[in-house]
Amino acid sequence: MSEERRKRHQERVGTPEANPQSRNKMILGGVVVLFVLAYAAGWYHTNHRYDGFAKCLASKQAKMYGLYWCPHCIEQKEMFGKAFQYVPYSECAIRGSREITTECKAAGVKLFPSWQFGVNPPIEGVFPLQELSDKTGCSLP
């Protein structure tokens, strides 16, 4: 921008200090940015709160057996939020059939969801996270 055009522009618009509307827009923009950042941090914390816990379950050889269509299995998964991706999980349903996978048959799983802790036989039920913590020694956040 040429010096002359810049001077005309400043005369027309003014400097940010001299123009309260411009200053108000900048403040509003800053508030909006802060709000968005706070929301994103809260969302991340809510959805990834149990990442460490789920990873600990994996390190303790805890494993969940489930069926994609089972409402109790869905309920158990939802307790972890996005952190469920770190939980060792075996899908026992074979899509398009009423059969159970050979892995789940071999483990002796008959009811869903079921949890297996180490080499112990699977135990059926929806477990509260505190109970999973007690069974594995993994601490909750």
Side-chain angles (χ1 to χ4, degrees), residues 14-39:
T15 63
E17 299 83 28
N19 189 343
Q21 286 180 334
S22 179
R23 189 175 65 237
N24 289 345
K25 286 180 184 178
M26 287 174 52
I27 291 171
L28 180 61
V31 169
V32 167
V33 167
L34 287 175
F35 178 76
V36 168
L37 289 174
Y39 176 80

Side-chain angles (χ1 to χ4, degrees), residues 49-97:
R49 179 177 179 194
Y50 297 114
D51 284 2
F53 178 66
K55 289 175 183 179
C56 181
L57 291 177
S59 74
K60 303 288 183 163
Q61 285 81 44
K63 183 177 194 175
M64 181 183 154
Y65 295 92
L67 305 167
Y68 68 90
W69 50 263
C70 163
H72 299 294
C73 300
I74 293 167
E75 175 187 353
Q76 183 76 77
K77 291 175 185 178
E78 286 175 347
M79 289 181 188
F80 287 91
K82 299 270 184 196
F84 188 75
Q85 66 183 321
Y86 301 113
V87 174
Y89 173 75
S90 287
E91 177 59 52
C92 294
I94 297 174
R95 291 191 185 261
S97 96

